[in-house]
Amino acid sequence: MQQRISHIVIWLFISILGASAVGGIALHRGESINAIWFIVAAVCVYAIGYRFYSAWVAARILMLDHTRATPAERLNDGRDYMPTNRWVVFGHHFAAIAGPGPLIGPTLAAQFGYLPGTLWILAGSVLAGCVQDMCVLFFSTRRNGRSLGQMARDELGPIGGAAALFATLLIMIILIAVLGLVVVNAMKHSPWATSTVIATIPIAIIVGIYMRYLRPGRVLEGSLLGVVLLLLSVGGGGWVDQQPVLRELFNHPGLPLAFGVIGYGFLAAVLPVWLLLAPRDYLSTFMKLGTVLLLAAAIIVLQPEIKMPALTQFVDGTGPIFAGSLFPFVFITIACGAISGFHALIASGTTPKLLSNERDIPMIGYGGMALESFVAIMALIAATVLEPGIYFAINSPAGIVGALPSEAVATISSWGFPVTVEQMDALAKAMGEATLFARTGGAPSLAVGMASIFGSAFGDHLLAIWYHFAIMFEAVFILTTLDAGTRVGRFMLQDMLGNIWPKLGRTSWYPSVIFSSALVVSGWGYFLYIGVIDPNGGVNILWPLFGIANQMLAAIALCVCTGIIIKSGKLKYVWVTALPLLWLTILTSTAVYEKVSSDNPRLGFFAAADDLSQKLASGVLPPEKAAVAPQLIFNQQLDAWLALLFAALLWIIILDMLRMASRHLRGLPVPASNETPYQRTQLENNQAEDNKPENHGLGATS
């Protein structure tokens, strides 16, 4: 009884503390607010969501069964399906889902102020993003690790299923291409980042062999070995950067790096998962979590003030970084920090094929997304502790604020965010860069924010090292998502090809593995190539499409989950996935409408293409812009048509799900559930866990 009272008191305290922190952030005006309140709010909200909401969903809706054999056990082939230690699976899953979204999205969305992004990251993650990840992981695990598109085909019917298969694969290709483009831009002409990222590949292979053959099951030993080698690679990257000969070996422009990334993606898709993918992502998690936790610790010690106002004048859509009003574009831009469709592909791709027990689904699915959301909060803090003038000087393109530094600072200062040329020059010198003006894309300003916090905590004389470490950290963050995404794309394509020729659908048949991997890599590799050779960088054009496509993919995943819940006879719980689905449908449909129909060249895809076409025809463009104008016009038009296609496919899937649900509720025939029959687990470690009193029933999660 006393223990129960203590338990209630502790969670009551966490609830009051979290509510106070969120309320303080939301209602604070005028004076700057301390960044520590953001950490307190995030930790309390995630803790409450994980302890209560995830346990309720697991017990009432999913009904997890720890005695049930998972596909990793039943279909163990030693390559794709293989029971894996839950901490390694968590590390792989987190590394795979945590890409550029939680870093870049919140940084860019800070142009609206700190408040909108913070509230959406917290609320969106615990009520939508975490729930989506956990539900998709559970449903895929119960269906032999089937991909999201194939589950849609099996559970909804041929029309919605075909649309979902096509949409998920096409969106996946676009997402991976943008991931590749961001990582190539981060490594471009950066020997430190490039050498460190390359070093993680042989390190992962060494750890994979160590844990599988040399010291099987010694996860702690393998982890320590990997962490030591990883830290040496980070330090070695700095040493390489100081050696004239070695530096040039790793100093490359975008195109050679793009081909290297394409080759790596192919290897990651065809090699056994234990050899490269799982250990590399697992080790990358140490760097990711270590850096994020170090950043959080530095913020707690320093307690820096947030410099960005709660709301800026750019909520009306006139922002210099990207056009578009607060609704819906703060949600589209934040993307993965709150909910991400890409996660559904990982949760129905590699992760369910490694999961050894359903008991671990809340930790990996809900907990992994909560941790990524915490990364988004850290990124938002790092961006908003900068002086707003510096933030806008780094992120605003020259075409908006002016090509000359004097023009840029005059424009930005006129907005009420003072900044000087001398201030920017001193900052660039401290960071070891020639200039920080117009370094668009979010990554440089995030690196400056992180370096500023680390420098204040551990020494300003190390600012240049911290800045380049942050750039490298972002590159590693993104590349782990790319390799897992490529493998998931291969699974998706094999599922589709299996409907034509069953042998091609066998993940264990190597000719199918090589053929499907080559097709997937060729698809996203083409878009990566186009983006790299684009003189304007490609990211500025593709990021809005990336955000829209990502959120639409999340809507597709929630649509599949909603359909399965209805078919399972749990209509009274359908709101858990249906409400986030409704919200995302409204968001994405509105965003597509504005991006396609707006006559503002900075907002509308077609408007931008028409405006550039008119300037090209009238001869007012400078020669260098005129040379690339046809390609830029094509890219804008392609974005528009792809956005319309994605919207059409989403509505087809939603309508087909509603049709199936209506037939089920009226007692008419619907596609039968493809959940695999129960088979008791034979894994010794699981049986040992089952004998513990706390793991009987749902004690571990409820």
Side-chain angles (χ1 to χ4, degrees):
M1 184 65 179
Q2 185 176 359
Q3 184 178 6
R4 179 175 177 82
I5 293 175
S6 300
H7 183 81
I8 293 174
V9 170
I10 290 172
W11 283 106
L12 184 61
F13 172 76
I14 293 174
S15 301
I16 294 174
L17 181 62
S20 301
V22 173
I25 294 171
L27 301 177
H28 194 87
R29 295 292 184 274
E31 297 180 2
S32 57
I33 185 172
N34 196 292
I36 198 170
W37 287 110
F38 290 74
I39 295 180
V40 171
V43 171
C44 291
V45 168
Y46 301 143
I48 293 169
Y50 181 78
R51 173 61 186 87
F52 296 103
Y53 195 40
S54 74
W56 182 83
V57 171
R60 297 288 185 177
I61 302 176
L62 306 183
M63 300 178 67
L64 304 182
D65 186 351
H66 66 276
T67 69
R68 189 185 185 107
T70 65
E73 176 186 355
R74 292 184 289 101
L75 306 176
N76 186 356
D77 60 9
R79 184 175 62 251
D80 294 321
Y81 291 85
M82 192 175 72
T84 306
N85 180 278
R86 65 176 181 169
W87 292 110
V88 175
V89 179
F90 179 87
H92 153 72
H93 182 78
F94 175 73
I97 65 174
L103 296 174
I104 306 302
T107 303
L108 298 178
Q111 80 162 2
F112 293 128
Y114 68 76
L115 182 58
T118 301
L119 295 181
W120 173 236
I121 290 170
L122 295 178
S125 60
V126 298
L127 297 177
C130 297
V131 173
Q132 174 212 242
D133 290 18
M134 185 169 72
C135 289
V136 171
L137 178 57
F138 171 79
F139 292 134
S140 179
T141 300
R142 284 285 177 95
R143 288 159 179 79
N144 286 335
R146 283 296 186 98
S147 69
L148 176 66
Q150 191 62 43
M151 283 197 295
R153 181 182 177 87
D154 294 341
E155 301 292 340
L156 303 184
I159 298 176
L165 279 169
F166 180 67
T168 51
L169 185 59
L170 183 58
I171 290 174
M172 168 66 93
I173 288 174
I174 297 296
L175 297 185
I176 298 177
V178 175
L179 296 178
L181 187 57
V182 173
V183 79
V184 166
N185 287 342
M187 292 193 299
K188 186 164 56 178
H189 294 303
S190 179
W192 188 347
T194 302
S195 59
T196 302
V197 170
I198 291 176
T200 61
I201 299 174
I203 290 173
I205 293 175
I206 291 171
V207 172
I209 293 173
Y210 185 91
M211 290 198 294
R212 183 170 176 85
Y213 292 115
L214 301 181
R215 300 280 286 175
R218 304 285 183 171
V219 177
L220 181 59
E221 290 181 14
S223 301
L224 291 175
L225 173 64
V227 170
V228 170
L229 292 176
L230 201 59
L231 292 175
L232 289 176
S233 73
V234 175
W239 178 79
V240 166
D241 196 39
Q242 301 300 318
Q243 308 303 312
V245 177
L246 290 177
R247 190 180 194 281
E248 289 307 309
L249 291 177
F250 296 96
N251 186 18
H252 298 290
L255 203 54
L257 292 173
F259 288 126
V261 169
I262 291 171
Y264 169 74
F266 179 77
L267 288 177
V270 301
L271 289 177
V273 69
W274 62 265
L275 182 61
L276 177 59
L277 185 72
R280 187 191 184 284
D281 289 357
Y282 175 61
L283 292 175
S284 296
T285 300
F286 284 101
M287 178 177 289
K288 295 178 178 183
L289 291 182
T291 303
V292 171
L293 293 177
L294 185 64
L295 183 62
I299 291 172
I300 292 173
V301 172
L302 295 173
Q303 300 185 17
E305 298 292 322
I306 299 295
K307 306 291 180 58
M308 187 72 71
L311 295 170
T312 69
Q313 64 265 43
F314 303 126
V315 295
D316 63 355
T318 60
I321 299 173
F322 61 89
S325 56
L326 182 66
F327 178 86
F329 289 103
V330 68
F331 307 98
I332 296 299
T333 306
I334 290 289
C336 310
I339 181 170
S340 172
F342 182 82
H343 295 190
L345 302 183
I346 303 298
S348 63
T350 53
T351 304
K353 297 176 176 62
L354 303 175
L355 191 72
S356 59
N357 196 294
E358 288 186 3
R359 180 182 52 242
D360 302 328
I361 286 176
M363 180 191 78
I364 295 169
Y366 199 100
M369 174 59 211
L371 193 55
E372 174 165 355
S373 184
F374 185 68
V375 173
I377 289 291
M378 292 297 100
L380 186 67
I381 292 174
T384 53
V385 295
L386 294 174
E387 291 290 345
I390 293 176
Y391 168 84
F392 285 109
I394 296 175
N395 286 290
S396 300
I400 300 297
V401 297
L404 297 177
S406 58
E407 296 174 342
V409 298
T411 301
I412 295 168
S413 297
S414 70
W415 298 335
F417 305 122
V419 63
T420 65
V421 175
E422 293 76 19
Q423 192 177 7
M424 292 299 297
D425 288 345
L427 183 63
K429 184 178 179 180
M431 299 296 168
E433 293 290 308
T435 181
L436 288 173
F437 279 105
R439 296 291 298 273
T440 58
S445 64
L446 175 60
V448 170
M450 291 175 62
S452 299
I453 294 172
F454 287 143
S456 298
F458 308 113
D460 288 338
H461 62 287
L462 299 176
L463 273 177
I465 295 176
W466 284 118
Y467 174 81
H468 288 93
F469 173 83
I471 289 291
M472 178 274 303
F473 157 77
E474 294 174 47
V476 173
F477 219 101
I478 296 164
L479 199 60
T480 51
T481 308
L482 181 143
D483 55 23
T486 301
R487 198 177 192 94
V488 171
R490 189 252 287 180
F491 291 146
M492 292 167 54
L493 185 59
Q494 284 184 291
D495 276 344
M496 293 178 65
L497 295 176
N499 295 316
I500 302 173
W501 184 20
K503 202 168 185 180
L504 288 175
R506 286 168 47 193
T507 59
S508 59
W509 191 45
Y510 233 77
S512 173
V513 170
I514 295 175
F515 175 67
S516 56
S517 298
L519 287 180
V520 172
V521 171
S522 298
W524 64 256
Y526 169 76
F527 285 99
L528 172 59
Y529 170 79
I530 293 299
V532 169
I533 65 173
D534 182 353
N536 285 0
V539 172
N540 293 333
I541 290 178
L542 290 177
W543 188 266
L545 183 65
F546 171 90
I548 291 172
N550 184 280
Q551 300 298 280
M552 283 190 168
L553 190 54
I556 292 173
L558 289 168
C559 196
V560 174
C561 292
T562 301
I564 294 176
I565 290 174
I566 292 174
K567 287 173 59 178
S568 302
K570 300 171 183 175
L571 184 62
K572 65 180 179 179
Y573 299 126
V574 76
W575 57 268
V576 171
T577 55
L579 289 181
L581 169 61
L582 176 62
W583 177 245
L584 287 182
T585 302
I586 294 172
L587 282 179
T588 54
S589 299
T590 304
V592 169
Y593 174 77
E594 292 195 21
K595 294 297 291 184
V596 171
S597 66
S598 175
D599 56 4
N600 180 359
R602 293 194 58 233
L603 179 59
F605 288 134
F606 284 128
D610 293 342
D611 180 69
L612 194 55
S613 297
Q614 293 174 8
K615 291 179 179 178
L616 180 64
S618 61
V620 299
L621 292 176
E624 63 275 9
K625 286 192 175 182
V628 300
Q631 185 174 357
L632 299 180
I633 293 169
F634 171 79
N635 287 341
Q636 294 282 9
Q637 293 173 336
L638 178 63
D639 280 2
W641 288 113
L642 284 175
L644 287 171
L645 176 61
F646 293 155
L649 291 171
L650 172 60
W651 276 101
I652 289 174
I653 297 165
I654 291 174
L655 292 175
D656 202 42
M657 184 272 291
L658 293 175
R659 178 195 61 82
M660 182 279 298
S662 175
R663 290 180 60 86
H664 173 77
L665 295 175
R666 288 182 291 153
L668 299 176
V670 296
S673 172
N674 276 265
E675 183 174 308
T676 55
Y678 174 87
Q679 181 178 328
R680 185 173 178 82
T681 180
Q682 299 299 313
L683 293 179
E684 292 182 1
N685 62 320
N686 286 342
Q687 290 175 340
E689 288 288 324
D690 293 345
N691 291 330
K692 296 181 180 180
E694 66 267 24
N695 288 338
H696 286 287
L698 284 172
T701 57
S702 60

